[in-house]
Amino acid sequence: MSNNQFSTSRYEKRDKKRKTNIVLNTLIGIVLVLIFVIGSQLILGANQSEKTAKYNEQPDIKLASDEESTKEPAAETEENEEAEVEDPEASEEQGEEGSEETENKENKENNDTAEEESTEDPFEQATITEGEPGSGVAETIENPAWEPVGTSQSEPHSANYDKNSQDWKEMTKTLSYATGIPEAEMIIWRLENNGSPNDAVGTISPKDQSAKYKVYITWVENKGWMPTKIEKQS
């Protein structure tokens, strides 16, 4: 083999090797580019997925109606708590009102009972004795069924003849109870002391003055006035 042929052969080998290297380098470059592109797409895709997920999340939005419905029970709870705090005062007021109503009811029942008794014959169980001639007394009437009429006064008691006093009212009630003459239909001619602070005597008649009575009453401790004797005037 000549020197020229040997040089040509070496040159062709180098040229072929150089072309092969270029091809390899190109392929390596393409692979790197592909890796970069695919990696970028994967990274961008992941970011996009996170953004999409955040975007798709529904925010916690409270509607005005929900807030109002939340506030209303709270307001009702506060009102209930205030009502519970005020309940003791309300209970005390109701207790006082209940006591007043009970007292008024009892007074009404007592008045009704007195009126019923006044419409009955007050002398049904009485002992009636004719008076002596010239004494001015036609009959003397005593009734073992008589009882005290009750009182709102406290002890110690002393008769009070003031017409505006509670004692006067209770004495008037006793005179009506003893004779059966309603207070509204009764004339009180005299009502005075009968010898002691707790004994009195009243002279009365119905408005038509068809009869006149002298009624003796006495005070029973804590129970009020009670009639003891009636003298029917002649």
Side-chain angles (χ1 to χ4, degrees):
M1 181 181 293
S2 64
N3 289 331
N4 290 333
Q5 288 179 344
F6 182 76
S7 297
T8 301
S9 177
R10 289 183 62 188
Y11 176 78
E12 288 176 355
K13 286 181 180 180
R14 287 179 181 177
D15 184 59
K16 186 177 181 180
K17 187 176 181 180
R18 182 175 60 83
K19 290 180 180 179
T20 300
N21 289 338
I22 291 171
V23 171
L24 290 174
N25 289 336
T26 302
L27 291 173
I28 291 170
I30 292 171
V31 170
L32 292 175
V33 170
L34 289 173
I35 291 171
F36 176 77
V37 171
I38 293 171
S40 299
Q41 288 180 349
L42 290 174
I43 293 171
L44 291 175
N47 292 336
Q48 186 66 27
S49 297
E50 290 178 1
K51 291 181 180 180
T52 303
K54 290 182 180 180
Y55 179 80
N56 290 333
E57 288 181 358
Q58 294 182 354
D60 186 10
I61 300 173
K62 290 185 178 180
L63 300 177
S65 59
D66 294 337
E67 292 181 354
E68 290 178 358
S69 62
T70 304
K71 291 179 180 178
E72 287 177 359
E76 290 177 358
T77 303
E78 291 178 358
E79 290 177 358
N80 292 336
E81 289 176 354
E82 292 176 358
E84 288 176 358
V85 173
E86 295 173 357
D87 276 346
E89 298 179 358
S91 298
E92 185 177 351
E93 292 177 358
Q94 290 175 357
E96 293 176 356
E97 291 176 358
S99 299
E100 291 177 359
E101 290 178 359
T102 303
E103 185 176 350
N104 292 335
K105 185 177 180 180
E106 290 176 353
N107 292 336
K108 185 177 184 301
E109 289 176 354
N110 291 335
N111 292 335
D112 292 342
T113 303
E115 289 177 1
E116 288 176 2
E117 290 175 351
S118 66
T119 59
E120 298 175 356
D121 184 0
F123 309 138
E124 183 178 356
Q125 302 180 39
T127 300
I128 301 175
T129 306
E130 291 186 3
E132 296 180 2
S135 65
V137 178
E139 295 174 345
T140 299
I141 304 165
E142 294 175 301
N143 193 338
W146 283 332
E147 296 180 351
V149 297
T151 183
S152 61
Q153 303 179 80
S154 59
E155 299 294 341
H157 172 268
S158 181
N160 186 343
Y161 297 97
D162 182 349
K163 292 184 179 181
N164 295 319
S165 68
Q166 179 63 27
D167 204 34
W168 180 276
K169 293 178 182 178
E170 292 180 4
M171 286 190 286
T172 302
K173 181 180 179 180
T174 308
L175 299 176
S176 172
Y177 163 64
T179 60
I181 303 172
E183 292 182 43
E185 301 296 325
M186 183 172 63
I187 299 173
I188 300 176
W189 299 98
R190 297 184 69 179
L191 181 54
E192 57 191 355
N193 181 274
N194 190 35
S196 77
N198 288 319
D199 289 289
V201 57
T203 303
I204 65 169
S205 68
K207 283 188 176 180
D208 61 8
Q209 301 185 32
S210 58
K212 185 176 283 189
Y213 300 96
K214 195 172 186 179
V215 184
Y216 296 83
I217 60 176
T218 189
W219 177 264
V220 179
E221 188 175 359
N222 294 317
K223 294 183 178 180
W225 290 99
M226 182 181 77
T228 57
K229 182 174 68 173
I230 298 174
E231 293 178 345
K232 185 176 181 181
Q233 306 296 294
S234 57

